[in-house]
Amino acid sequence: MEYAKDEVFNIYYNEKKDKLEYSLKRKHMKNFFNDKFMTLLITMGIVFGVLDFSLIYYFFEILSKM
């Protein structure tokens, strides 16, 4: 029962402080990277951002040659 409770609440033992700690960051990061839709949105945002930057750059290159 104690192990199951520790896994649900993400409780871990910090040896330096000699106490149990609860990490909200670990829980949210774990859920964030396991969510396929959010990962897809971030990946698409990065790809479209790079594509947008490169298309604007090449557009101004063409304009500067005229």
Side-chain angles (χ1 to χ4, degrees), residues 50-66:
V50 169
L51 182 65
D52 185 40
F53 178 76
S54 63
L55 289 174
I56 290 172
Y57 176 77
Y58 287 123
F59 176 71
F60 281 112
E61 286 292 319
I62 291 171
L63 282 180
S64 67
K65 290 181 182 178
M66 289 184 172

Side-chain angles (χ1 to χ4, degrees), residues 5-57:
K5 183 176 65 172
D6 291 347
E7 287 298 315
V8 170
F9 294 116
N10 289 327
I11 298 172
Y12 64 96
Y13 181 72
N14 189 344
E15 293 179 2
K16 293 180 183 176
K17 296 180 181 178
D18 193 31
K19 67 177 186 176
L20 293 173
E21 291 185 346
Y22 173 69
S23 175
L24 289 173
K25 185 178 179 183
R26 281 188 183 183
K27 182 178 180 181
H28 292 302
M29 292 301 284
K30 183 178 173 184
N31 289 339
F32 180 75
F33 286 116
N34 286 339
D35 189 13
K36 303 279 189 229
F37 183 69
M38 188 62 76
T39 306
L40 177 68
L41 286 178
I42 291 173
T43 305
M44 286 175 53
I46 292 171
V47 168
F48 289 141
V50 169
L51 182 65
D52 185 40
F53 178 76
S54 63
L55 289 174
I56 290 172
Y57 176 77

